[in-house]
Amino acid sequence: QVQLVESGGGLVQAGGSLRLSCAASGRTFSTYAMGWFRQAPGKEREFVARISWSGGNRYYADSVKGRFTISRDNAKNTGYLQMNDLKPEDTALYYCAASTYSYGSTSTSGYNYWGQGTQVTVSS
């Protein structure tokens, strides 16, 4: 079992930045790939970014490419999502997830464990 807890969400103006954290406990975090997803009200959960277990492979949704950066610190059992140049359409509940696939997945079905989410609200 892996327990995931997100933090770092909040209210920010358009153009601002936030850094989300995902603290993992339980089984060895470094053996799992990690992903970030988001879900806006009335919409399905959508892929944002993923990172391999080693951190050497990263992939982003087109909507966030160039603005968001996913990273991880396996020594601290923590993953991160740095979000810059935020836009109102980035407003959503953000989830981190852990996957047994080496590179993770862009699909929610590719993840075994999920956090409870942290709210990000971007005002115009």
Side-chain angles (χ1 to χ4, degrees):
Q1 287 281 347
V2 175
Q3 293 78 42
L4 303 172
V5 179
E6 303 94 337
S7 62
L11 173 64
V12 64
Q13 289 188 331
S17 298
L18 285 173
R19 188 174 84 153
L20 306 184
S21 298
C22 176
S25 60
R27 298 188 67 178
T28 307
F29 176 63
S30 61
T31 63
Y32 292 86
M34 187 186 74
W36 286 94
F37 288 75
R38 66 188 182 186
Q39 188 166 18
K43 295 187 176 181
E44 294 189 353
R45 194 169 298 188
E46 66 172 0
F47 168 76
V48 175
R50 62 160 175 80
I51 187 169
S52 60
W53 65 270
S54 68
N57 184 280
R58 311 176 193 197
Y59 185 77
Y60 299 90
D62 287 342
S63 59
V64 306
K65 199 173 298 182
R67 300 188 298 122
F68 290 12
T69 302
I70 189 171
S71 62
R72 65 190 297 161
D73 185 339
N74 286 339
K76 295 182 178 179
N77 286 343
T78 303
Y80 304 96
L81 184 69
Q82 177 66 44
M83 307 186 295
N84 298 329
D85 190 23
L86 283 160
K87 303 176 181 181
E89 51 263 41
D90 295 318
T91 295
L93 189 60
Y94 282 71
Y95 299 89
C96 68
S99 171
T100 55
Y101 295 135
S102 297
Y103 290 173
S105 174
T106 60
S107 171
T108 57
S109 62
Y111 292 84
N112 307 87
Y113 304 102
W114 292 84
Q116 293 301 306
T118 185
Q119 178 67 38
V120 172
T121 303
V122 184
S123 63
S124 57

PDB file of all heavy atoms in Angstrom, residues 36 102 115 119:
ATOM      1  N   TRP A  36       0.189  13.275 -12.115  1.00  0.00           N
ATOM      2  CA  TRP A  36      -0.731  14.303 -11.624  1.00  0.00           C
ATOM      3  C   TRP A  36      -1.919  14.373 -12.581  1.00  0.00           C
ATOM      4  O   TRP A  36      -1.740  14.379 -13.808  1.00  0.00           O
ATOM      5  CB  TRP A  36      -0.068  15.666 -11.556  1.00  0.00           C
ATOM      6  CG  TRP A  36       0.903  15.821 -10.421  1.00  0.00           C
ATOM      7  CD1 TRP A  36       2.245  15.616 -10.448  1.00  0.00           C
ATOM      8  CD2 TRP A  36       0.596  16.229  -9.089  1.00  0.00           C
ATOM      9  NE1 TRP A  36       2.795  15.856  -9.220  1.00  0.00           N
ATOM     10  CE2 TRP A  36       1.804  16.248  -8.363  1.00  0.00           C
ATOM     11  CE3 TRP A  36      -0.584  16.589  -8.424  1.00  0.00           C
ATOM     12  CZ2 TRP A  36       1.867  16.605  -7.001  1.00  0.00           C
ATOM     13  CZ3 TRP A  36      -0.526  16.940  -7.079  1.00  0.00           C
ATOM     14  CH2 TRP A  36       0.693  16.941  -6.382  1.00  0.00           C
ATOM     15  N   SER A 102       6.488   1.486 -15.261  1.00  0.00           N
ATOM     16  CA  SER A 102       7.770   2.166 -15.123  1.00  0.00           C
ATOM     17  C   SER A 102       7.685   3.660 -15.416  1.00  0.00           C
ATOM     18  O   SER A 102       8.301   4.479 -14.727  1.00  0.00           O
ATOM     19  CB  SER A 102       8.802   1.535 -16.056  1.00  0.00           C
ATOM     20  OG  SER A 102       9.047   0.200 -15.725  1.00  0.00           O
ATOM     21  N   GLY A 115      -4.219  10.098  -4.125  1.00  0.00           N
ATOM     22  CA  GLY A 115      -4.418  10.961  -2.985  1.00  0.00           C
ATOM     23  C   GLY A 115      -5.832  11.516  -2.996  1.00  0.00           C
ATOM     24  O   GLY A 115      -6.645  11.188  -3.871  1.00  0.00           O
ATOM     25  N   GLN A 119      -7.126  21.599  -3.901  1.00  0.00           N
ATOM     26  CA  GLN A 119      -7.849  22.511  -4.781  1.00  0.00           C
ATOM     27  C   GLN A 119      -6.945  23.641  -5.256  1.00  0.00           C
ATOM     28  O   GLN A 119      -6.250  24.280  -4.453  1.00  0.00           O
ATOM     29  CB  GLN A 119      -9.062  23.093  -4.051  1.00  0.00           C
ATOM     30  CG  GLN A 119      -9.858  24.090  -4.865  1.00  0.00           C
ATOM     31  CD  GLN A 119     -10.560  23.441  -6.059  1.00  0.00           C
ATOM     32  OE1 GLN A 119     -11.062  22.309  -5.949  1.00  0.00           O
ATOM     33  NE2 GLN A 119     -10.601  24.136  -7.182  1.00  0.00           N
TER      34      GLN A 119
END
